Amino acid sequence: MWYSHFSVTWLLLSVAVSGQFRRPSSKPSSNNGLQSVCLGNVLRLTLDKTLAVGSQLEIDAIDGTDIIPLSHTLAAQCGYSIESDPWGTTKVFASLLGCYVDNQADVVFTFGLRLRLYGDGLSEQVEHDVTETCSYSPWASREILCDRNYMEVSSLMVTPETPVKMVAGQQVHDSWENAIPDAAVAPNGIWKMTFHTPDPKVMLLADAQRAGYGAMMTQTRLVIRSPYNMAETYSVEVAGVPMEVFSVSTYYKIGSLIVDSAAACPTGGVVFTEKVITWHVPRRITPLISSAVKILETHMGIYGQRLDKTKMAARHYKLSVTESHVVIEIPVGSPDGYYKSHAPDYAYHITYTVEPMLELLWRAENTQADTRYKVLFPITTPLMPRPPHVIDNTVHEQRVFDILLGIFLHDVELMNITFTTRVLTVAECNARGFDVQEHHFANGSKTFSIRVPFSDELVLKRNPDPLTTVYFLPLVFGLLVLPDQTPFPHPAELEASREDVVLPTITGRCDQENFYFSVKYGSQQDNFQTMMLHAGSWRELDIELANLYSLTGNGTHFSITVPFTAPAAAFELVNFKSIRARVDLLLLEMPNMWQLDDLSLACYFPLTTTECYANGTVTALAVKVESVSNLNPEYLTLRDQSCKPAFSNDRFAFFSFKLNSCGTTRTFFDNVMLYENEIALPYNTGKQSRKGPFTPEYRHTISCYYLLNYTKTMAFRASPRSTNPVADPGVGHLVVQIRLSQDSSYALFYQSEDYPVEKYLRQPLYFEVELMQSTDPKIEVVLENCWATLHKDRTSLPSWDLIIDSCENPDDLYLTVFHPVVAYTRIQVPAHIKRFSIKMFTFTKDDAVLKEQLFVHCDAVLCDTTKPDGICSGQCPNALSYANSLRPTGSKRGLRAADASQYKTQISSGPVLLSDSNLF
C-alpha cells in the first residue's frame, strides 16, 4: 500500500474537488489543486493540501484497463516516489522510463495514475484520476537518476548501423529488437544479471525482479533500477562523500551481448550551520568514471525543477565547482523549503526541510558518450533548539500581569494553561477575562499573550511588609505541535510588587456616657486582629467582647460602643465632678504581628464623687485609677478604720456616713463650715490585701461646705388672666441639613473631612434630612423631590430621580426606602427628620460605566402640620394609590409654587465615589 510504506501522514482539512485532467504537454498543467509538470526525465504531480481529505492516500497505476496498486516495493522497483509535507501537500515523482508508462519510441511518454484518499470519517473514498503526457529528447548516452527511494541508470543500446525513423517529428533509431534478430522472443531479451557487490553475484532476470530490482528494455535503451539498501548494493566514500552504488552486467539471450551498467547516488555530504546548508557532491564519481571527464553543464533546482541564475540570486542560492566537489549552498529558511516544530523530551525544537536537485552533464575524454546525472536530494536539518521566551510586559500600575510567550512556528497551538489550583483551556481563560491572544507575523511565526489581573484568585499574594503586596503568578503553558499532536509544556513565573496596601484605620469619639469606635477596613478587608486593653491586659476582640460592646458592621467597617465604666476603660484622673477615662485599641496583622494602627482615646465624663446633703449625710465614691493598678478598693476605709465601704468591687468603693462620725473633722471659716474626711488604706492593720509587691499610695479627700447663715425668701402673687397670650410674629432663619450616615443605625455620620466617601456597587447609602435649631412641633419636613447627579451642580446632566412628589421613583429597579424616625435623646421632634436609603449605583454612557462621583440633591418642604394639604399631606401619604396612578412611567420632577403654609429649601450631599474593587 502506497501510504503505509511512504509514510504519507497529514491532517487533512479541506473538502476535495474530484476530477480528471488530460493535457498532453510538457508544460505545467493544473486542475483544482492538482498540478503536474514534466521535468526532463521525470514527471512531478502535486496534490495541494486543499484537496487533502481523509488521512490516508494510496496511488494506483492505470495500465489500460488494469489498475495496479503501487506498493512501496513496487514503487521503488518501477520508478515512482512520493514526498509529503506535514500539512498535506504531496508530490509524486515518476520516471519517464518507469513501469506502466505508455512509451512511444522513447520520445513521448503517457502516464495514468489514480489517487485514492480515505479515512477520518469519510463514508466513501475520494478518487482523482490523472493522465499526463511528457516529451523528452534527446537522451544522453547514459542517464542516471537518484531519487529518494531508488537509483536508476539507462543506457543507449543503438549501434551506428541501426536504422533511423521519425517519431513525433523527431529522429529516433529503429528498435533494438529489430537490430538484433529474434531478441523479442524472450521477455526483454535479458537472460541473467551479474551484480558486483563488488564480488560478483549472478541472478536470472526473474530472480532479480523478485528481489526488487527493475530491468527492462525500451526501443532504444536498457533501464536498470535498484532500491536503496539492497543486498547487492554497497556503500563507498568518494571525496569524503558517502555514496550507495549498484553495478550490474546484463546478459542477453541473443547474440551473447553483455552490457555493464552502474549508478552511484550520494547519501550524505551535507554540512549544516545555523544559517546555511552546504551540500557536497563529488566532482568525479569514480564508480561511474574510469577516465578523465569534462563537465559540460551544471544545473541546480528545487523539487526536480531547474532554477535560472536570476531565481537563484533572488533566493541567495549558490552553485559552485571546486577541484573535488560540486557545491550547493542554500540559506536556512529559504522560501522553497519549510520549517517544522518538534518537541523531543518536551523541549521545543525546529527543523528546516528543503529538496534541492543537482543535474550534471559530463563527457568522457576522446569519446562522444555523455552522461546526464540527476539527484533529487531531500535535506532536513538536525533538530535546532528554540526555547520559547517569556517576556514580562507587566505595568505594575495597571495591576495586570501581561505575558508574551514565543516565538513559535505556525504549527504550534496553545491548548491550556495550568495555574496553581486548576487547568484552564484557552476558551475558559478568555471567559474568565484573561484575554488570551495569538499574534501572527509576516514570516509565519507566532506568539501568544495573556493578561491576568492581580485581583484574580489564581494569583498568589504575600506581604513582605505592612504596605507592600507581592503578586506571584506561576503557570505552565500547555502547547501542542500539529499535525502529529505532540504535547509539550513551558513553565513561567511572574512576580510584581506594589505598595498598594491600604491599612485599616481606627476613629473614635465620646459622649457623656460612652466611647464610640469605628474601624474602617483597608484593602485587605478584615485580615487583621483587633486587640483591646481590657482590665489591664491586651485581649483579642472576640465574640464575648463583641457582644459586650455591641459590635455592628458591614463590608467596609465595624463599630463598637464602650461605656466609660466598662473594664476596657482605664481611669486616668478623678476630679470633683468628672473622671478622665481612656480606651486603647490596636490592630495587628497575623501572623507577622505587624501593628497596622492604634488609637488611645481619652475623654472626660461627668461623675460626681462626693454628695453633701442638708441632713448631714455624705456619700463618697472612691475610684481605682490607673496609677494604682494593684489597689483593692475593698480595703479602703475612712479615717475611722471601722468605717468601711457600703459597696465595693474591683474598681469602686462607695461610702455613706454621717458628718459627725467616722473621724470627720469640722472647721469654721467666716460664714462657712467645712467638714473633711479621707479615704485611704489602713496602714495600722494587717488585714489589707496586696496584689502587688508593695502597698499602693492612695488618698481621697472628702470635703463638704455649709453656710452658717442662709435664708431663702419666696414671694407669690396671683392675678386673673383677661386674655390668652399671643406670640408676636417674628422673622428668623430655618436651617435644614442633609447628612450621610455610616450605617442604618443613624448613630454615626460622615464628617466633611471624610468626603469623598467610597462605596461599593449596590451598597446601601443612608441619608438623613433634619431641620436644625427648632423645637416647634407644628413644623414637619417633607422631601418633595430628590435626585442624583455626577456633578455638584444640582441642575447638571445626567441625573436620576430618587424621590418624585414625595414618593419613590417607580422606574427605579431598586426603590428608595423611607425609614421611620422615633423620639429619643437626640431627637426631640421626629417630624423634623426624614430618613431614606438608596442602593449605590453609577451612570452609564454607551454601555460604558462612568466611574465618577455621585451627588444627591433634595427639595425639602417645611410644612405647617395644622394645615395638611397637597405636598404637606405627609411623606408619600398614599403610596399604593400613587403606584397605581395614571402618572406616565419615567416622568420627571416638576416645579411647584409653595403656598403660605410651606417653606421650601434646597440641600445637597456628596460626593460619593464608586469603589473599583466591587464594580462588577
Side-chain angles (χ1 to χ4, degrees), residues 504 521-530 554-556 558 588 596:
Y521 299 145
S523 57
Q524 297 181 324
Q525 295 299 306
D526 57 352
N527 187 27
F528 58 86
Q529 193 173 89
T530 304
N554 55 26
T556 61
F558 73 85
L588 292 179
L596 305 181

Side-chain angles (χ1 to χ4, degrees), residues 738 765 767 783-805 807 809 812 816 836 838 841 843 854-860 891-895 904-910:
I738 183 171
L765 303 178
F767 291 93
L783 300 179
E784 182 181 21
N785 296 305
C786 291
W787 64 98
T789 65
L790 282 174
H791 305 288
K792 191 173 183 180
D793 183 2
R794 57 193 290 113
T795 63
S796 63
L797 294 176
S799 69
W800 182 256
D801 291 322
L802 307 173
I803 298 174
I804 305 174
D805 295 336
C807 291
N809 180 4
D812 207 336
T816 301
F836 67 95
I838 64 173
F841 69 97
F843 289 89
L854 203 65
F855 292 82
V856 175
H857 316 275
C858 286
D859 288 335
S891 59
K892 302 298 181 181
R893 56 189 177 277
L895 297 176
K904 183 182 292 187
T905 185
Q906 297 174 334
I907 49 180
S908 298
S909 174

Side-chain angles (χ1 to χ4, degrees), residues 107-121:
V107 175
V108 179
F109 306 86
T110 301
F111 294 83
L113 295 174
R114 173 171 293 171
L115 281 65
R116 294 184 286 113
L117 301 108
Y118 60 94
D120 280 357

Side-chain angles (χ1 to χ4, degrees), residues 181-376:
D182 300 324
V185 174
N188 293 305
I190 299 175
W191 170 34
K192 65 179 181 179
M193 304 172 70
T194 299
F195 292 91
H196 306 283
T197 63
D199 297 328
K201 182 177 181 180
V202 179
M203 290 187 185
L204 296 177
L205 174 63
D207 294 333
Q209 290 176 335
R210 279 193 293 269
Y213 295 100
M216 62 181 291
M217 290 170 52
T218 69
Q219 287 189 357
T220 63
R221 306 187 72 81
L222 170 66
V223 182
I224 306 295
R225 192 177 297 109
S226 170
Y228 288 98
N229 301 315
M230 296 292 284
E232 289 73 33
T233 62
Y234 61 95
S235 297
V236 297
E237 191 171 284
V238 181
V241 177
M243 305 192 78
E244 187 159 352
V245 180
F246 87 91
S247 177
V248 60
S249 298
T250 304
Y251 295 81
Y252 295 87
K253 295 180 178 180
I254 304 299
S256 300
L257 183 64
I258 302 173
V259 178
D260 292 329
S261 302
C265 296
T267 57
V270 182
V271 177
F272 300 99
T273 68
E274 281 287 319
K275 296 183 178 181
V276 178
I277 299 171
T278 305
W279 178 31
H280 299 81
V281 177
R283 177 176 179 176
R284 187 172 185 275
I285 304 174
T286 52
L288 306 178
I289 299 172
S290 58
S291 61
V293 298
K294 180 180 181 180
I295 296 179
L296 305 178
E297 297 178 12
T298 57
H299 303 283
M300 176 192 174
I302 295 292
Y303 292 112
Q305 188 162 12
R306 291 181 183 178
L307 298 178
D308 58 29
K309 293 182 179 180
T310 302
K311 291 182 179 179
M312 289 178 60
R315 290 165 168 78
H316 304 287
Y317 295 157
K318 294 180 180 179
L319 174 61
S320 59
V321 180
T322 67
E323 291 185 359
S324 56
H325 294 91
V326 179
V327 181
I328 289 178
E329 295 182 43
I330 301 174
V332 175
S334 68
D336 292 316
Y338 61 86
Y339 282 106
K340 179 71 181 73
S341 297
H342 307 271
D345 299 325
Y346 304 108
Y348 185 59
H349 294 71
I350 65 171
T351 58
Y352 174 74
T353 298
V354 68
E355 184 173 317
M357 178 201 75
L358 175 63
E359 185 176 340
L360 303 176
L361 181 66
W362 70 71
R363 178 175 297 169
E365 289 184 352
N366 303 320
T367 70
Q368 294 298 314
D370 51 9
T371 298
R372 187 170 298 279
Y373 183 78
K374 180 186 286 188
V375 184
L376 306 179

Side-chain angles (χ1 to χ4, degrees), residues 623-748:
V623 180
K624 176 183 176 180
V625 292
E626 191 177 29
S627 59
V628 286
S629 59
N630 59 340
L631 173 69
N632 187 347
E634 175 187 356
Y635 297 109
L636 293 173
T637 67
L638 297 173
R639 285 175 177 160
D640 184 347
Q641 296 181 6
S642 63
C643 295
K644 298 180 179 180
F647 164 79
S648 66
N649 59 20
D650 61 341
R651 310 194 75 190
F652 300 98
F654 178 75
F655 294 86
S656 178
F657 59 96
K658 293 290 185 178
L659 288 174
N660 59 357
S661 65
C662 296
T664 306
T665 61
R666 183 177 61 180
T667 307
F668 293 93
F669 300 97
D670 297 331
N671 195 35
V672 175
M673 185 168 49
L674 170 64
Y675 289 90
E676 285 187 322
N677 208 323
E678 187 178 68
I679 301 174
L681 281 175
Y683 289 98
N684 57 349
T685 176
K687 295 182 178 181
Q688 65 261 29
S689 172
R690 299 182 178 89
K691 293 186 177 179
F694 57 88
T695 301
E697 181 75 19
Y698 185 88
R699 295 184 182 279
H700 181 183
T701 302
I702 304 169
S703 302
C704 289
Y705 294 86
Y706 293 92
L707 295 176
L708 293 177
N709 297 311
Y710 181 64
T711 304
K712 288 186 177 180
T713 304
M714 296 180 64
F716 178 80
R717 180 173 63 86
S719 60
R721 180 186 296 172
S722 58
T723 60
N724 291 327
V726 177
D728 293 331
V731 178
H733 294 281
L734 295 176
V735 179
V736 178
Q737 72 172 5
I738 183 171
R739 295 192 293 174
L740 178 60
S741 174
Q742 295 186 16
D743 52 40
S744 59
S745 68
Y746 289 89
L748 298 175

Side-chain angles (χ1 to χ4, degrees), residues 573-593:
L573 183 65
V574 179
N575 294 324
F576 180 64
K577 290 292 185 180
S578 65
I579 184 172
R580 189 171 75 185
R582 188 190 75 252
V583 173
D584 296 304
L585 291 182
L586 181 64
L587 305 182
L588 292 179
E589 189 276 340
M590 306 298 289
N592 297 304
M593 298 300 291

